[in-house]
Amino acid sequence: MSVTGEVFQFVPPRVPPVATEGVLPWLRRNLFSDLWNTLGTLVILGLLVTCVPPLVEWAVLNAVARADNAACRALGHAGACWGVVAEKYRLILFGRYPYEEQWRPLVATALMISLLAASCYRPFWKRWLIALWLVVLVVFFTLMFGGVFGLTFVETARWGGFPLTIMLSTIGLVTAFPLSIAVALGRRSRMPGIRTLCVLYVELIRGVPLISVLFMASFMFPLFMPAGMTIDVLLRVQVGITLFSAAYLAEVVRGGLQALPRGQVEAAQSLGLTYWQTTRKIVLPQSLRIVVPAIMNTFIGTFKDTSLVTIVSLYDLTGALQLALGDSDWRKFFLEGQLFVAAIYFVCCFAMSRYSRWIEQHLNTGTRRD
Amino acid sequence: MQASAPIIEFSRVSKWYGQFHVLRDIDLDVARGERIVICGPSGSGKSTLIRCINGLEEYQDGVLKVDGVEVTDDLKAIEAIRRQVGMVFQQFNLFPHLTVLENLTLAPMWVGRIPKREADERAMQQLVRVKIAEQAAKYPLQLSGGQQQRVAIARALCLTPKIMLFDEPTSALDPEMIKEVLDVMIELAGQGITMLCVTHEMGFARSVADRVIFMDQGQIVEQNTPAEFFSHPKSDRTKDFLSKILAH
């Protein structure tokens, strides 16, 4: 001790006296740490034991995978009839698009999904990506519409299924995102006119259900058009979805703008950066990264909300399923059909959610202290 | 402009926050190359005063000129002034999403329109000057407070400003790091740049300031050379303030 005049010595680090790593300590710490935790673990185990075997039996062991209507009917409730999917998958996936031409929406959608995936990768965030998007959009609509290069013309009323879902949500979000940034910035503008306009837009759209927006786009809008002039219903619905999700996104983006410390803008201003330079280089990169989870939440919401277009007679993935189940032979097996469609939605949404977590970590360079 | 004209001129400048009169009829001329330390109790308006110089705060009455140009709400004029005026903040305000080097090159490239290679070179010179060149590739939050503040000083210097404003640059620092920042500021003070520094580091004031200004309730109560200011304060308010901060 220093009182006795000894020189101070640092204690060298040593290993912990009890094991803190490995399977058993992990189980004890996470699943059986106290009475309530142990009880919870047991209840969940019990539920798994009672539910999983019957589910596997129904969905796999007793199921009929062939498009064999008689075999399916013979099953009763003992097993799943995946035959409905085997029989109807083209109708579910592509809706009323002409059967022989369905390779066109297939190629178009595959192209768009590939580009979506590529756009997720940060090193590709260059100017040429925008050009590529324009090219792919042109190819997408050329394939879908036809009427050129010997492709037969297919009117938008016959578009449907998964391509329609992907188109409505992708184009909706890609256009809604920049619009939402503009509106969010506008709400914080010093100019009262712009500010009021942006507040009005957000509050009006947010105050109305998407169904009403779609109804208005589909049925009311034409009433106000000059006689003889029509705008394609699909375009109107697309604009409706864009405006709707932009209003929600704008509020998310505004949250990010408000979370940014005032000092960041002041530092940029004191360096002589203009408003737009500050916004582009300092404010948006930081604000948007703060709200990545909330943005992705809105994206996923919009993706699923596109299923509401069925009420204005557009047959997206869910709408096409209803078409398929219109066949009285197979109507009985709606549950299997619904599960198939749900699985497609889940894969897409889960991919978005995983990407959100990945991009969050990749954008976090600098804000972590390691 | 002749060389002897003041680089900053406050004439009867007043500012209000709502009904609160935060700056009251400020008259102050700063000569080229002059080094001024501003002190005073919190809420006395000293930060607000220097923030008016580069237009971060608006004033409602009087005239403020920087290098002959009046500070108004005209954005173009303010942006021109900001290119002449560097500022260092209490909270550093480095851009956390950019590396140290990118923090330094941002303004030269976007405001000064200097090619990247040249901006990089200049930035590295400034980083060497503040003795932190080896951290150029790191992100600000990976550095200590003292290092961050030195980067912030280097960032402000990259546009070769005529005036440097320091708003309590050492107040947010651990005691062990204050010295490394003050050393950089002392080195800078020897280079002939005009400096206005809001600080309570009285040792710094004594060794580099040409003039010490004491503010209270939005007014300049007293100003003098450091030697006179510390040994013969005139007003009771100044004496009272000095007795509190020099008591230890």
Side-chain angles (χ1 to χ4, degrees), chain A residues 120-161:
Chain A
C120 289
Y121 188 50
R122 206 175 169 202
F124 291 167
W125 293 358
K126 301 272 162 59
R127 257 169 231 280
W128 54 259
L129 192 64
I130 299 176
L132 196 58
W133 265 102
L134 292 176
V135 171
V136 166
L137 283 177
V138 168
V139 173
F140 182 90
F141 285 108
T142 311
L143 279 169
M144 292 298 285
F145 271 114
V148 283
F149 308 125
L151 300 170
T152 50
F153 177 73
V154 179
E155 53 186 357
T156 56
R158 300 201 63 177
W159 297 12

Side-chain angles (χ1 to χ4, degrees), chain B residues 152-172:
Chain B
I153 294 174
R155 179 176 70 179
L157 288 173
C158 273
L159 285 168
T160 52
K162 293 180 183 160
I163 303 167
M164 280 289 282
L165 308 174
F166 292 87
D167 189 2
E168 307 210 27
T170 56
S171 301

